């Protein structure tokens, strides 16, 4: 028997074997070659100037009774199976008109708000109401009753960050609407501010073992003051500038169990060095302007823009004006699991070579129904 015939027979036997394995919904591991699946998340930038007029239009034509939460999702074009910013995180923009109140609900996913523009709105969590100003970081921890309303005279817009994709992968995504549509207010307004905002002082009578922070609203005025004070004494991290993490004042851990949140101050013309780490990161420009080089591409950002850095992708920032970047990532979950890893770029003095500029992805054509 020739070598060619023998090889064909061996191939036929293997193909028959693989088909039998497939029929029982199995696969042979060695066929994968040990290769990891290519991440779907693309580095991407969403311009606020594109979203703001659409949000204002939505506020006029979409009643809150229909939408409950009037939200536009920032959908990463690399993730074709769902609408999300990264593999584990959502980044949405929400608008609420004066006089509106959204009903109370709770869900297994953790959520945050970063106020973008407008004043007079509040968030209420488990009976405590907190009024929100631009730049404030507000927590709505998992499985807590929360609602929001606008008692001011202008529209208020904020960035929503949620870990819904992670919760869905784990098949633990529960959701519940409050039967009375409004969770009763049982605490004084901003009580958690008075109890926990000092950070270094803890009320001795409070015993708290929950994973999320008891502080509902991390005020931007206090964060910015702290960043400026630090910047007088240090240049901070070579990769993030003067950067702070929003922490649980009782444990020192992340503000939420699955989402780590940060604020970074970049001085005029400051150019950080490049590094990469596991965990996708969403950035929002609270103030300032500049550019980031992400995976070799230049991303030009302005105040109120949002962009995403995929896991294990080199990134660096160059501010053209004093800038404050808010960011959140899934590193809070990765570190306890031993999956967090970080690496600095060694070549070219620690800076990437720009290989091009970010261009928005082409919009796929809509499927047109034919009769």
């Amino acid at each position: 028997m020739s070598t060619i015939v023998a090889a064909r027979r061996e191939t036929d036997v293997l193909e028959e074997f693989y088909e039998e394995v497939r029929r029982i919904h199995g696969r042979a591991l060695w066929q994968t070659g040990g290769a990891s699946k290519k991440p779907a998340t693309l580095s991407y930038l969403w311009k606020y100037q594109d979203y703001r007029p659409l949000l204002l239009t939505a506020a006029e034509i979409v009643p809150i009774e229909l939408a409950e939460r009037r939200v536009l999702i920032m959908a990463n074009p690399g993730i074709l199976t769902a609408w999300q910013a990264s593999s584990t995180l959502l980044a949405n923009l929400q608008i609420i008109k004066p006089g509106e109140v959204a009903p109370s609900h709770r869900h297994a996913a953790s959520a945050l708000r970063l106020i973008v523009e407008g004043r007079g709105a509040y968030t209420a969590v488990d009976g405590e109401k907190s009024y929100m100003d631009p730049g404030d970081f507000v927590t709505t921890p998992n499985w807590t009753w929360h609602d929001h309303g606008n008692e001011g005279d202008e529209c208020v817009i904020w960035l929503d960050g949620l870990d819904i994709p992670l919760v869905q992968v784990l098949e633990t995504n529960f959701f519940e609407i409050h039967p009375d549509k409004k969770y009763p207010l049982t605490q004084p307004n901003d009580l958690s501010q008075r109890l926990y905002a000092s950070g270094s002082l803890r009320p001795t009578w409070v015993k708290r073992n929950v994973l999320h922070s008891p502080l509902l609203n991390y005020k931007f005025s206090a964060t910015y003051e702290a960043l400026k004070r630090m910047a007088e004494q240090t240049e901070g991290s070579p990769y993030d500038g003067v950067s702070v993490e929003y922490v649980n004042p009782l444990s020192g851990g992340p503000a939420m169990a699955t989402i780590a949140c940060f604020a970074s101050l970049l001085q005029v013309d400051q150019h950080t060095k490049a590094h990469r780490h596991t965990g996708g990161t969403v950035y929002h420009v609270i103030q300032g302007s500049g550019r980031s080089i992400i995976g070799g591409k230049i991303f030009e950002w302005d105040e109120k823009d949002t962009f995403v850095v995929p896991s294990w992708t080199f990134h660096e920032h160059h501010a053209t004006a004093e800038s404050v970047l808010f960011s959140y990532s899934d590193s809070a979950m990765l570190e306890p699991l031993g999956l967090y890893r970080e690496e600095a770029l060694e070549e070219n003095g620690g800076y990437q070579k720009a290989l091009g500029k970010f261009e928005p992805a082409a919009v796929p054509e809509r499927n047109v129904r034919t009769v």
Side-chain angles (χ1 to χ4, degrees), residues 114-333:
L114 194 285
I115 313 309
V116 178
E117 70 168 275
R119 287 180 167 83
Y122 67 85
T123 284
V125 177
D126 277 352
E128 178 189 338
K129 179 191 286 189
S130 181
Y131 290 92
M132 308 180 295
D133 298 309
D136 288 359
F137 159 51
V138 179
T139 64
T140 49
N142 69 312
W143 212 239
T144 56
W145 291 109
H146 58 279
D147 58 71
H148 54 259
N150 187 349
E151 298 175 358
D153 56 6
E154 60 182 334
C155 287
V156 178
I157 299 172
W158 59 75
L159 173 75
D160 284 325
L162 302 97
D163 60 359
I164 287 178
L166 170 65
V167 174
Q168 288 177 329
V169 166
L170 297 174
E171 298 182 348
T172 56
N173 193 22
F174 298 94
F175 177 89
E176 185 177 356
I177 297 175
H178 197 274
D180 299 326
K181 293 189 176 181
K182 182 74 174 176
Y183 189 86
L185 295 174
T186 57
Q187 305 290 345
N189 293 350
D190 285 313
L191 175 63
S192 64
Q193 278 282 313
R194 294 188 286 277
L195 289 178
Y196 307 110
S198 66
S200 58
L201 301 173
R202 180 178 68 84
T204 58
W205 64 91
V206 175
K207 307 298 180 185
R208 207 175 162 97
N209 298 317
V210 294
L211 296 175
H212 58 77
S213 172
L215 182 57
L216 173 57
N217 191 338
Y218 294 76
K219 302 297 292 182
F220 178 66
S221 57
T223 302
Y224 183 65
E225 180 183 352
L227 289 169
K228 292 288 285 185
R229 189 168 57 247
M230 293 178 189
E232 294 174 356
Q233 305 297 327
T234 178
E235 294 182 356
S237 161
Y239 312 109
D240 299 302
V242 176
S243 185
V244 295
E245 180 178 0
Y246 296 94
V247 298
N248 181 333
L250 297 183
S251 68
M256 290 180 283
T258 54
I259 306 176
C261 302
F262 308 88
S264 302
L265 174 66
L266 301 175
Q267 305 285 9
V268 180
D269 207 34
Q270 183 175 358
H271 191 164
T272 67
K273 292 187 175 183
H275 73 154
R276 61 182 178 180
H277 47 73
T278 51
T281 305
V282 176
Y283 285 87
H284 179 79
V285 186
I286 295 179
Q287 64 182 47
S289 60
R291 63 179 63 182
S292 296
I293 301 178
I294 308 170
K297 283 188 178 181
I298 298 173
F299 290 70
E300 303 272 359
W301 40 260
D302 296 295
E303 190 169 295
K304 300 180 175 63
D305 289 348
T306 303
F307 59 97
V308 62
V309 177
S311 179
W312 207 241
T313 302
F314 280 115
H315 55 284
E316 62 196 80
H317 311 296
H318 183 192
T320 54
E322 182 190 79
S323 302
V324 179
L325 302 180
F326 173 81
S327 62
Y328 60 98
S329 79
D330 50 19
S331 61
M333 172 196 63

